[in-house]
């Protein structure tokens, strides 16, 4: 089983619909992240969370919201989806600051298409 | 603004040869760098990292070189194999703890059999 699981893996929706992407992890990490990947571009940070009570905006948080329901769960919502939010979305986790590496562990991605 | 970029978007290498993927960064405060590999349909996977107090670090078949003078990072893959075909991203952070990694746009490496 994957350590970082994203659902759904693929979703097609219409403009104006509310969409939730869910992420769960079994790595026991405190830190969780949501990234967006567009073709030909690198990963852009949407939101990140250091623990259950902590939520921080990333580079491109407009149009998105998140919820950290538990240490192992971090969901991303698009309240009213628009076509330019069509992208591949990745959830990632990491251990606390000061760990031996700064490694992020990524899920396999959720491909969202907004028509 | 700050950016992390790659010199070449695509690279084709004969199987068995060595490959070098380059990355330039502009943030002089960057002190931690990571290379990720992303295979088709999968999430990025950590390859190797290096801190700014080092100029070279080796892993299994991979070497990362850091030249802080010219703000340049490279990933060398020795004896490339078909499984090395992927997109490779460099990323940097100016506050070790990776809460705000800045990713480059990626280089697609294709291994020719």
């Amino acid at each position: 089983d994957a350590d970082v699981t994203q659902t759904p893996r693929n979703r097609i929706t219409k403009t104006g619909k509310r969409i939730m992407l869910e992420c769960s992890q079994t790595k026991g990490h405190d830190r969780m992240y949501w990234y967006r990947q567009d073709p030909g571009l690198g990963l852009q940070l949407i939101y990140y969370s250091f623990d259950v009570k902590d939520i921080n905006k990333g580079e491109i948080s407009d149009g998105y919201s998140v919820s950290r329901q538990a240490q192992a769960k971090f969901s991303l919502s698009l309240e009213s989806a628009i076509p330019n939010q069509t992208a591949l979305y990745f959830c990632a986790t990491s251990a606390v600051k000061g760990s031996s590496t700064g490694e992020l562990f990524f899920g396999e991605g959720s491909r969202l298409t907004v028509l | 603004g700050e950016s992390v970029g790659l010199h070449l978007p695509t690279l084709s290498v004969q199987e068995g040869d060595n490959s070098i993927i380059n990355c330039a960064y502009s943030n002089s405060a960057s002190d931690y760098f990571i290379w990720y590999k992303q295979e088709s349909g999968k999430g990025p996977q950590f390859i190797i990292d290096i801190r700014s107090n080092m100029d070279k670090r080796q892993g299994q078949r991979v070497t990362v070189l850091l030249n802080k003078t010219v703000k340049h990072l490279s990933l060398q893959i020795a004896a490339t194999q078909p499984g090395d075909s992927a997109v490779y991203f460099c990323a940097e952070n100016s506050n070790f703890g990776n809460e705000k990694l800045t990713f480059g746009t990626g280089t697609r490496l294709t291994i020719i059999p």
Side-chain angles (χ1 to χ4, degrees):
Chain A
D1 289 339
D3 293 322
V4 183
T5 303
Q6 294 182 228
T7 56
R9 294 292 312 279
N10 288 283
R11 182 71 182 269
I12 300 173
T13 191
K14 294 182 179 180
T15 298
K17 294 291 187 181
R18 184 179 187 274
I19 295 297
M20 179 181 286
L21 305 179
E22 299 186 354
C23 178
S24 63
Q25 53 117 343
T26 58
K27 298 192 74 66
H29 287 165
D30 290 321
R31 300 185 164 200
M32 298 188 73
Y33 309 77
W34 275 104
Y35 283 89
R36 167 177 171 158
Q37 185 176 38
D38 294 282
L41 297 178
L43 293 155
Q44 294 175 282
L45 182 61
I46 307 173
Y47 271 96
Y48 60 102
S49 169
F50 289 171
D51 63 39
V52 175
K53 298 179 181 179
D54 178 77
I55 299 291
N56 304 281
K57 291 183 178 180
E59 307 166 69
I60 55 164
S61 58
D62 288 348
Y64 301 95
S65 62
V66 291
S67 175
R68 184 80 183 268
Q69 302 95 322
Q71 187 207 33
K73 296 184 182 294
F74 192 37
S75 60
L76 175 71
S77 294
L78 288 68
E79 296 301 325
S80 180
I82 56 177
N84 74 2
Q85 291 178 310
T86 294
L88 186 56
Y89 291 86
F90 286 102
C91 175
T93 73
S94 70
V96 297
K97 186 174 182 177
S99 62
S100 58
T101 72
E103 182 176 358
L104 291 174
F105 295 85
F106 286 87
E108 299 210 324
S110 295
R111 184 170 298 281
L112 176 65
T113 302
V114 184
L115 302 176
Chain B
E2 306 294 349
S3 66
V4 179
L6 293 171
H7 293 312
L8 296 172
T10 62
L11 178 65
S12 296
V13 175
Q14 204 74 36
E15 182 178 353
D17 287 352
N18 298 334
S19 64
I20 299 175
I21 300 171
N22 296 303
C23 180
Y25 65 95
S26 58
N27 184 357
S28 56
S30 297
D31 59 7
Y32 180 64
F33 305 87
I34 310 177
W35 281 100
Y36 283 88
K37 172 185 180 182
Q38 186 177 19
E39 296 177 87
S40 181
K42 297 185 177 181
Q45 184 177 20
F46 174 92
I47 302 173
I48 192 167
D49 60 359
I50 188 167
R51 300 192 195 190
S52 59
N53 61 352
M54 303 173 67
D55 54 20
K56 180 179 180 178
R57 191 167 187 217
Q58 290 183 291
Q60 186 176 12
R61 284 199 308 115
V62 295
T63 301
V64 56
L65 299 177
L66 175 62
N67 186 330
K68 295 180 288 294
T69 301
V70 296
K71 299 189 186 70
H72 184 268
L73 187 71
S74 68
L75 176 72
Q76 300 177 2
I77 305 174
T80 53
Q81 304 168 357
D84 294 329
S85 291
V87 176
Y88 290 81
F89 293 95
C90 63
E92 59 87 17
N93 189 293
S94 59
N95 178 19
F96 177 60
N98 69 40
E99 53 265 36
K100 289 188 178 182
L101 276 177
T102 300
F103 283 83
T105 54
T107 291
R108 181 174 299 280
L109 176 65
T110 301
I111 307 303
I112 304 168

